[in-house]
């Protein structure tokens, strides 16, 4: 058989595998974005990123990763997504990740703290102002949801919707962009599993979640079952947070997400 440009070659049908479609057209080769060297100034949000990320270089980062089975959460989210939708709210997985973080911060307040410049004092913050890394047209921004400890899941979702809409329009104000105490980054919405998140100073911890994927895992009877798995990567300031604390916090956060009804017991 002869290869025709832009179409799949026709193979003789062997009776076992489905025949290849002859009508399928190869995707065209994407044009490169840059064809000639160009220089542009670093400005706006990118300039802020240069400053913040350079400051965070002074922080000795400790990394800790784990895998979370979110099979039950995936089911619960599909129910709540519909119910929240009836109330006009987009309900992703983020409200669970954010609220579970706040519940776990109640038990591990050092992760919701900041240190002063010379690292002589720790300031424990009573408000859980949880920052969410956002990928916008203007670049990376980290607005935060204020007082997550007092909010319901629906209120967290509503606030996230508001921040996302303003972020997309480039209209976030300084009150939304300042005062964060802890950050979560959902890089999994784009793809990937593990990351190495960089702490947003003066905060002391950040978590990055990967893409929820259906994978085979063993159940308690050693049967292979389909599970939905999420990877999480934490970074913490090792000057004030040790590995054991990070690990215990992560275990608690993970337990809320693996058994999402347990969150109800601790929610106000
Ligand atoms: N795994 C699988 N599906 C995911 C997912 C994940 N980790 N995260 C989100 N999704 C799904 C959502 O549930 C939603 O699907 P539905 O339509 O079924 O609800 C869809 O993907 C789109 O989600 P979203 O982006 O609208 O909303 P979100 O609340 O999950 O995330 C935000 C919001 C702002 C975190 C995200 O849009 C974003 O910008 N992420 C990038 C963060 C980033 O750049 N991090 C790197 C920082 S360091 O440079």
């Amino acid at each position: 058989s002869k290869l025709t440009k832009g179409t799949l070659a026709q193979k003789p049908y062997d009776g076992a595998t489905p025949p290849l479609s002859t009508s399928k057209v190869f995707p065209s080769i994407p044009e490169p974005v840059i064809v000639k060297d160009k220089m542009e100034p670093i400005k706006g949000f990118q300039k802020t990123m240069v400053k913040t990320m350079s400051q965070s270089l002074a922080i000795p980062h400790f990394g800790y990763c784990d895998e979370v089975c979110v099979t039950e959460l995936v089911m619960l989210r599909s129910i709540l997504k519909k119910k929240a939708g009836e109330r006009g709210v987009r309900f992703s997985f983020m409200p669970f990740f954010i609220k579970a973080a706040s519940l776990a911060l109640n038990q591990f307040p050092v992760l919701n703290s900041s240190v002063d410049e010379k690292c002589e004092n720790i300031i424990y913050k009573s408000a859980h102002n949880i920052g969410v890394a956002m990928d916008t047209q203007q670049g990376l921004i980290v607005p935060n949801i204020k007082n997550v400890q007092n909010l319901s899941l629906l209120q967290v979702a509503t606030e996230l919707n508001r921040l996302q809409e303003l972020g997309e329009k480039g209209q976030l104000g300084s009150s939304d962009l300042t005062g964060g105490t802890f950050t979560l980054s959902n890089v999994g919405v784009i793809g990937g599993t593990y990351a190495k998140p960089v702490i947003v100073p003066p905060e002391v911890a950040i978590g990055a979640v990967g893409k929820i994927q259906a994978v085979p895992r063993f159940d308690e009877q050693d049967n292979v079952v389909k599970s939905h798995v999420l990877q999480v990567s934490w970074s913490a300031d090792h000057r004030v947070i040790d590995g054991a604390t990070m690990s215990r916090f992560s275990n608690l956060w993970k337990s809320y997400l693996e058994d999402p009804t347990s969150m109800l017991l601790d929610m106000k």
Side-chain angles (χ1 to χ4, degrees):
S1 62
K2 214 173 98 192
L3 262 180
T4 318
K5 196 181 171 206
T7 61
L8 289 170
Q10 194 172 11
K11 274 189 182 172
Y13 183 46
D14 62 10
T17 47
L20 289 169
S21 159
T22 47
S23 59
K24 192 166 178 194
V25 176
F26 284 130
S28 60
I29 298 167
E31 289 296 324
V33 178
I34 299 289
V35 286
K36 208 169 142 224
D37 294 359
K38 74 164 185 178
M39 185 166 79
E40 63 182 28
I42 294 173
K43 53 187 182 193
F45 286 134
Q46 218 177 354
K47 204 164 180 180
T48 314
M49 189 157 79
V50 171
K51 197 171 154 232
T52 324
M53 294 297 112
S54 304
Q55 280 171 355
S56 64
L57 263 182
I59 303 172
H61 281 59
F62 164 83
Y64 178 89
C65 303
D66 203 358
E67 187 178 286
V68 185
C69 175
V70 290
T71 306
E72 283 184 31
L73 185 74
V74 167
M75 287 189 287
L76 179 63
R77 205 282 301 207
S78 71
I79 298 168
L80 294 186
K81 179 186 168 180
K82 208 165 154 246
K83 292 197 183 296
E86 287 162 8
R87 300 197 206 176
V89 179
R90 270 184 297 114
F91 198 91
S92 66
F93 291 95
M94 280 306 273
F96 289 108
F97 302 155
I98 294 167
K99 194 64 200 180
S102 172
L103 293 175
L105 288 173
N106 281 333
Q107 305 303 316
F108 297 93
V110 71
L111 285 152
N112 194 56
S113 72
S114 63
V115 283
D116 53 18
E117 227 165 277
K118 289 188 181 160
C119 209
E120 289 166 335
N121 299 290
I122 300 180
I123 304 113
Y124 293 89
K125 301 288 178 77
S126 55
H128 299 169
N129 297 342
I130 301 194
V132 179
M134 273 184 192
D135 177 40
T136 71
Q137 299 284 346
Q138 291 84 30
L140 170 72
I141 45 167
V142 192
N144 60 82
I145 302 178
K146 302 273 190 301
N147 292 304
V148 174
Q149 77 281 5
N150 297 332
L151 302 183
S152 68
L153 280 170
L154 190 72
Q155 286 172 319
V156 172
T158 307
E159 189 57 1
L160 186 61
N161 285 185
R162 182 184 72 82
L163 295 175
Q164 239 177 315
E165 275 151 34
L166 289 177
E168 272 156 25
K169 290 189 219 147
Q171 287 176 355
L172 280 165
S174 69
S175 66
D176 286 324
L177 291 165
T178 54
T181 59
F182 182 90
T183 299
L184 284 176
S185 171
N186 180 4
V187 80
V189 74
I190 305 167
T193 49
Y194 290 106
K196 195 178 168 219
V198 179
I199 296 166
V200 184
E203 297 171 23
V204 294
I206 181 169
V209 293
K211 186 181 172 63
I212 297 171
Q213 298 177 90
V215 291
R217 285 291 180 270
F218 291 106
D219 69 7
E220 277 166 15
Q221 285 76 44
D222 275 356
N223 301 309
V224 175
V225 293
K226 179 179 173 182
S227 292
H228 285 90
V229 162
L230 167 86
Q231 279 88 9
V232 63
S233 309
W234 302 105
S235 289
D237 184 337
H238 213 337
R239 294 172 301 180
V240 287
I241 291 151
D242 55 36
T245 305
M246 189 71 248
S247 167
R248 289 189 187 109
F249 167 84
S250 180
N251 286 344
L252 183 55
W253 181 79
K254 170 174 160 159
S255 73
Y256 284 127
L257 297 176
E258 292 200 331
D259 178 11
T261 51
S262 68
M263 288 174 77
L264 294 176
L265 290 177
D266 295 336
M267 260 199 259
K268 283 183 187 153

